[in-house]
Amino acid sequence: MKNLLLPFLAIIMNLNAHADFDFAGEVTSYKLFEYHIEFYLTNAKFNVYVLKDNLIRFRFTQQNEFFRAPSYAVIDHGLAAKFRFEEKMDFFEIVTKELIVRISKRPCRVSIFDSKMNLINEDEKSFGVSFDYDEVRCHKTLLDGEQFYGLGEKTGSLAKRGGQYTMWNSDRPDYTTKEDPLYKSIPFFIGVREKKAYGIFFDNTYKSYFNMGASNNRFYWFGAEKGEMDYYFIYGPEIKKIISDYTLLTGRMELPPMWALGYQQSKWSYYPESTVRNLAKTFRDKQIPCDVIYLDIHYMDDYRVFTWNKERFPNPEKMLSDLSKDGFKIITIVDPGVKADTTNYLIAKEGLEQNLFAKYPDGSVYQGEVWPSWAYFPDFTKEETRKWWGDKNAMLIKQGLAGIWNDMNEPAVWGQAFPDIVQFDDNGFKANHKKIHNVYGLEMARATFEGLLRNFPDKRPFILTRAAFAGIQRYAAVWTGDNSATEEHLKLACTMPLGLGLSGVPFAGSDVGGFFRTPSQRLYTRWMQLGAFTPFFRGHTIINTNDQEPWAFGEDVERWVKDVMDSRYRLLPYIYNEFYNSTISGLPPARAMFLNYQEEEECYSEAAQFQFVFGENLLVAPVLSEKDNFKKVYLPEGRWMNWQKNEIYDGKRWVIVEAPIWEIPLFLREGGIIPMQQRQDFVGERKIEETELIIFPGKSSEYILYEDDGISTEYQNGKYSLTKFNLEKTSSTTVLEIEREKNDFVSNRKYYLLNVYDVDSISKITINETVLIQYENSDQLNNSNGGYFYNSKTKILKIKVSDLPNLKIELK
């Protein structure tokens, strides 16, 4: 009897041995290298890599060696920094110019301090890194007053403490305001305590979790169902620095074509051709600006990607050519599912013959059901597939399309259960769907981006994607998926792009007006006002709903909406400049208040999440309610000008401002300079010969204006200009110097028109020491070759000067 029980006892003992979490253990030995240290623990291997003085990688595994497969998110820059290493009795110490990292020996735990030994972040002393079969977790001490931001596309508050969040790309149509997860997985967050910040990027593509203190007050943790505990710690203490270094790791946006910053009109679906042509004609007849029209799934032949339905669109090349002449760029949807039709469909045949589709472990090709019924799914983790797919997309561009819209790439299938056992190439390292699911959309966007650039090296690609992973900013713009026409989603349309911006994804927006249901007149108006100041500006709605174009809600709404759309187009020089800045710094154009004003407590408040700063100079305070005609706004320290009303406020306080339905409150920061231009019906409609500058002078101001051709990749070869505006103000004089710092692109500009606000008086203006002519009204000034007009009632000074390489304008 005893002998019979022995096997069962062995099984029970083995189960008990794994019933508890297996922690990393104690340090048993180490090896020191020039830029990293290898630690050997009782239960794991642990490597520390010093990449910069404020950027350190921590990597744990229970395997015999670390994974050799390259990261999908992190670009290999070859980053490495020297450090000082010292072994002490109970811990090891790694010292850089900015950080002191202590690694305790028994047990192995990580504590990170600034250079003055102020604690920034530490492992929870009892737990640290743990393993539970394949699952990995890292437990961090939850410090008093610590708050968290980021984590990509998430609903709810920007502040994430107290919640648990999942990273698993999911198709969630008509999602609720508390839904999680959604379409994108960005496993990166920012911790802030006592106004000092750090960031952590968890580089693991498996389904992962971030418990930011949910259901306990002792620790927060992040982990994944499989893979390594591989994370990057980034110290600020400035939030801006963290985002900049995170995007140094994962890449930054390339400059999009300028037309992509214009208004984009979409619907599921515009067809047949006559409908598309009539839509375009209506925009131009009404002089409502629009650059892009989208074609949804009904343009295809039975939902076969890379085809046209010849009954609905008998001659797509001619249609695209005609619309292009009127300034319209056409973008079509391209889903990953390739209709499993090997009889009539060349794309399916090629994919099978070239072994380009994802497969089951037994070698048969996986089929999932989507719009075309049963479909094959390209393996975008395979180089040959990416090249093939990219070339197919390029074929559409050759026909006359301007860009590509990737959808259903979570990947989504009917039933929402893409089998985990499906196999992928994983860049030659082989993996199943559990690892690849979250990066499927990223790699699809990569294939498209690289294919367009390879086939059209002189033309900037534009790709829009629904699904994404960390690093998506390298390839595509994003939108926040299938939302709904409600006030709650209007608020999310403000906060979700801000959260994505904090997570390194700058080119983001929502389906303006709501995808599901039909908005009221006031809701649509308020949403269009918000959208006009969101980086990605597209109206989109579902099939079988009411029309949702700017003229569909009556003449009053059309007039109000056209006004704010005109403002968007007038502000394009400023908006484009902020996109350029984003390519350099990684910072988003639209910024949560605390990103620019990290030291101000009120900027972290819940109410302040419903306003934002566009760049450095423009505060946008959208009304996010159908009923309200007022807006409560927090103005940070300094002086602020209500742009529409020409009213000046002292900052560091909340104010309530009137906001009638036709108006979105905008505030200009003292010292701010904003470049503008003449309105257009589309980008490039006419030569822009005058740049208008809105100036609210402070004691000292500086602004650098970037300009290029807006369409080609020549800017990467240095074909651009930089113009520096430097303003110094004293009690008696104001001096504005305009200097062309780089002049390898020549614009069509002939004049500057300066609008200087809050000018108490003026007696004389000189340009390069030549006295400027004074005019009696604005019309005279506008029709002149130069001079100025001063309105003593509004205290606005208008100056018109020729565009010269160097100008010195002195006001007395």
Side-chain angles (χ1 to χ4, degrees), residues 432-605:
N432 62 31
H433 184 66
K434 289 183 179 181
K435 180 182 179 184
I436 302 305
H437 174 90
N438 277 340
V439 296
Y440 192 84
L442 172 71
E443 292 301 282
M444 182 183 183
R446 173 188 176 187
T448 307
F449 180 89
E450 291 177 347
L452 299 192
L453 199 57
R454 184 172 59 252
N455 284 273
F456 305 95
D458 298 328
K459 185 178 180 180
R460 301 179 201 178
F462 177 76
I463 294 102
L464 176 67
T465 183
R466 188 170 77 176
F469 189 72
I472 190 60
Q473 64 272 9
R474 304 194 296 262
Y475 309 122
V478 303
W479 90 103
T480 56
D482 297 342
N483 59 5
S484 188
T486 66
E487 274 194 11
E488 290 76 13
H489 274 270
L490 173 59
K491 292 176 181 176
L492 290 178
C494 179
T495 56
M496 289 176 72
L498 296 180
L500 283 161
L502 290 168
S503 308
V505 184
F507 201 176
S510 71
D511 280 346
V512 173
F515 182 66
F516 284 93
R517 303 173 185 84
T518 300
S520 68
Q521 292 178 319
R522 291 180 66 92
L523 182 65
Y524 178 77
T525 302
R526 291 306 192 189
W527 212 319
M528 286 292 283
Q529 290 169 351
L530 168 64
F533 292 92
T534 304
F536 178 65
F537 185 23
R538 182 184 77 152
H540 186 47
T541 188
I542 194 171
I543 195 170
N544 297 326
T545 54
N546 295 344
D547 289 344
Q548 209 158 293
E549 293 77 38
W551 53 83
F553 295 85
E555 291 183 1
D556 287 341
V557 173
E558 179 182 331
R559 184 173 65 256
W560 301 334
V561 166
K562 181 182 183 302
D563 183 59
V564 77
M565 295 171 76
D566 285 344
S567 295
R568 167 88 173 200
Y569 276 73
R570 292 200 66 217
L571 280 164
L572 278 177
Y574 181 72
I575 295 170
Y576 190 63
N577 213 57
E578 292 309 320
F579 271 73
Y580 165 72
N581 289 336
S582 186
T583 68
I584 302 301
S585 69
L587 298 178
R591 304 174 184 176
M593 293 297 297
F594 56 80
L595 182 52
N596 277 17
Y597 299 96
Q598 188 170 333
E599 297 299 318
E600 295 206 30
E601 186 66 30
E602 288 297 324
C603 288
Y604 296 88
S605 68

Side-chain angles (χ1 to χ4, degrees), residues 770-781:
T770 299
V771 177
L772 206 58
I773 301 171
Q774 182 177 7
Y775 290 95
E776 294 181 357
N777 56 58
S778 291
D779 290 339
Q780 289 180 350
L781 177 66

Side-chain angles (χ1 to χ4, degrees), residues 56-326:
I56 299 179
R57 181 185 184 186
F58 300 93
R59 195 175 187 188
F60 294 80
T61 185
Q62 283 195 312
Q63 304 301 313
N64 292 329
E65 60 180 27
F66 291 102
F67 295 149
R68 292 181 294 113
S71 169
Y72 285 96
V74 175
I75 297 172
D76 184 8
H77 291 293
L79 293 176
K82 290 187 178 295
F83 58 91
R84 179 168 57 84
F85 179 79
E86 186 175 353
E87 181 179 3
K88 300 190 177 182
M89 182 175 294
D90 297 321
F91 58 86
F92 303 94
E93 196 166 79
I94 301 166
V95 180
T96 74
K97 293 177 182 177
E98 298 185 36
L99 294 175
I100 299 170
V101 179
R102 285 187 174 178
I103 299 170
S104 62
K105 297 180 178 180
R106 292 174 294 276
C108 176
R109 298 288 182 265
V110 174
S111 300
I112 304 173
F113 305 83
D114 67 16
S115 59
K116 297 179 180 179
M117 280 304 293
N118 296 305
L119 178 66
I120 306 167
N121 180 265
E122 67 177 3
D123 289 351
E124 210 287 331
K125 289 181 170 54
S126 296
F127 307 132
V129 171
S130 67
F131 305 87
D132 184 17
Y133 294 97
D134 288 337
E135 182 183 292
V136 293
R137 290 190 186 184
C138 181
H139 302 80
K140 296 286 189 180
T141 299
L142 190 59
L143 300 173
D144 290 342
E146 192 168 22
Q147 186 55 269
F148 306 103
Y149 302 92
L151 294 176
E153 183 185 66
K154 298 298 177 186
T155 59
S157 171
L158 290 177
K160 302 304 183 187
R161 179 164 175 160
Q164 179 162 313
Y165 305 91
T166 302
M167 300 295 165
W168 187 250
N169 292 356
S170 302
D171 179 12
R172 290 290 183 264
D174 201 15
Y175 54 89
T176 70
T177 57
K178 295 183 180 179
E179 191 103 26
D180 184 66
L182 292 177
Y183 308 90
K184 303 165 191 66
S185 297
I186 314 290
F188 166 71
F189 67 90
I190 297 167
V192 180
R193 185 171 69 96
E194 297 176 351
K195 307 299 187 302
K196 295 180 179 179
Y198 66 90
I200 288 180
F201 170 54
F202 179 35
D203 192 10
N204 185 312
T205 68
Y206 287 90
K207 190 174 189 178
S208 60
Y209 304 91
F210 289 75
N211 182 309
M212 313 313 289
S215 305
N216 89 96
N217 60 1
R218 180 176 174 179
F219 57 81
Y220 72 89
W221 65 266
F222 53 92
E225 292 185 352
K226 197 173 180 179
E228 294 177 352
M229 176 47 60
D230 185 2
Y231 71 93
Y232 295 77
F233 182 91
I234 309 168
Y235 180 53
E238 301 85 6
I239 300 174
K240 287 182 176 180
K241 184 178 179 183
I242 293 164
I243 296 173
S244 188
D245 278 338
Y246 166 71
T247 56
L248 176 66
L249 276 179
T250 60
R252 293 176 182 148
M253 170 181 65
E254 299 287 351
L255 262 178
M258 187 181 282
W259 57 256
L261 309 188
Y263 179 66
Q264 309 189 26
Q265 183 67 55
S266 184
K267 183 179 182 177
W268 175 20
S269 293
Y270 289 124
Y271 72 94
E273 178 179 323
S274 59
T275 297
V276 179
R277 287 183 179 273
N278 185 61
L279 175 71
K281 184 177 184 301
T282 305
F283 269 108
R284 294 297 178 252
D285 288 348
K286 289 179 173 290
Q287 293 186 303
I288 297 174
C290 181
D291 267 273
V292 180
I293 295 173
Y294 283 78
L295 302 183
D296 212 314
I297 56 177
H298 290 99
Y299 81 93
M300 291 181 277
D301 176 17
D302 200 22
Y303 306 119
R304 295 174 176 88
V305 291
F306 309 119
T307 68
W308 291 85
N309 183 309
K310 288 306 178 74
E311 291 184 5
R312 295 168 179 168
F313 298 93
N315 191 342
E317 288 89 348
K318 185 177 187 311
M319 178 192 73
L320 296 173
S321 176
D322 290 347
L323 291 172
S324 177
K325 292 173 185 176
D326 208 11

Side-chain angles (χ1 to χ4, degrees), residues 259-451:
W259 57 256
L261 309 188
Y263 179 66
Q264 309 189 26
Q265 183 67 55
S266 184
K267 183 179 182 177
W268 175 20
S269 293
Y270 289 124
Y271 72 94
E273 178 179 323
S274 59
T275 297
V276 179
R277 287 183 179 273
N278 185 61
L279 175 71
K281 184 177 184 301
T282 305
F283 269 108
R284 294 297 178 252
D285 288 348
K286 289 179 173 290
Q287 293 186 303
I288 297 174
C290 181
D291 267 273
V292 180
I293 295 173
Y294 283 78
L295 302 183
D296 212 314
I297 56 177
H298 290 99
Y299 81 93
M300 291 181 277
D301 176 17
D302 200 22
Y303 306 119
R304 295 174 176 88
V305 291
F306 309 119
T307 68
W308 291 85
N309 183 309
K310 288 306 178 74
E311 291 184 5
R312 295 168 179 168
F313 298 93
N315 191 342
E317 288 89 348
K318 185 177 187 311
M319 178 192 73
L320 296 173
S321 176
D322 290 347
L323 291 172
S324 177
K325 292 173 185 176
D326 208 11
F328 285 100
K329 299 84 185 172
I330 308 302
I331 293 174
T332 59
I333 195 170
V334 176
D335 292 345
V338 174
K339 186 177 177 65
D341 173 7
T342 57
T343 304
N344 303 304
Y345 189 24
L346 181 61
I347 303 296
K349 288 181 184 179
E350 285 184 1
L352 289 172
E353 290 170 359
Q354 297 177 36
N355 192 27
L356 303 177
F357 296 134
K359 296 181 177 182
Y360 287 111
D362 64 4
S364 61
V365 176
Y366 166 69
Q367 294 185 40
E369 193 173 14
V370 279
W371 296 115
S373 187
W374 295 103
Y376 307 125
F377 283 77
D379 179 0
F380 296 116
T381 69
K382 188 174 186 177
E383 183 178 358
E384 293 84 354
T385 305
R386 291 195 297 272
K387 185 178 185 304
W388 173 74
W389 189 263
D391 289 342
K392 297 303 178 188
N393 280 277
M395 177 182 68
L396 293 175
I397 303 301
K398 288 175 184 176
Q399 292 175 342
L401 291 179
I404 301 295
W405 169 21
N406 288 169
D407 199 15
M408 300 289 287
N409 54 344
E410 289 71 31
V413 290
W414 303 158
Q416 301 288 346
F418 198 111
D420 288 340
I421 60 172
V422 172
Q423 302 294 297
F424 292 85
D425 183 70
D426 192 19
N427 293 309
F429 289 89
K430 311 304 177 185
N432 62 31
H433 184 66
K434 289 183 179 181
K435 180 182 179 184
I436 302 305
H437 174 90
N438 277 340
V439 296
Y440 192 84
L442 172 71
E443 292 301 282
M444 182 183 183
R446 173 188 176 187
T448 307
F449 180 89
E450 291 177 347

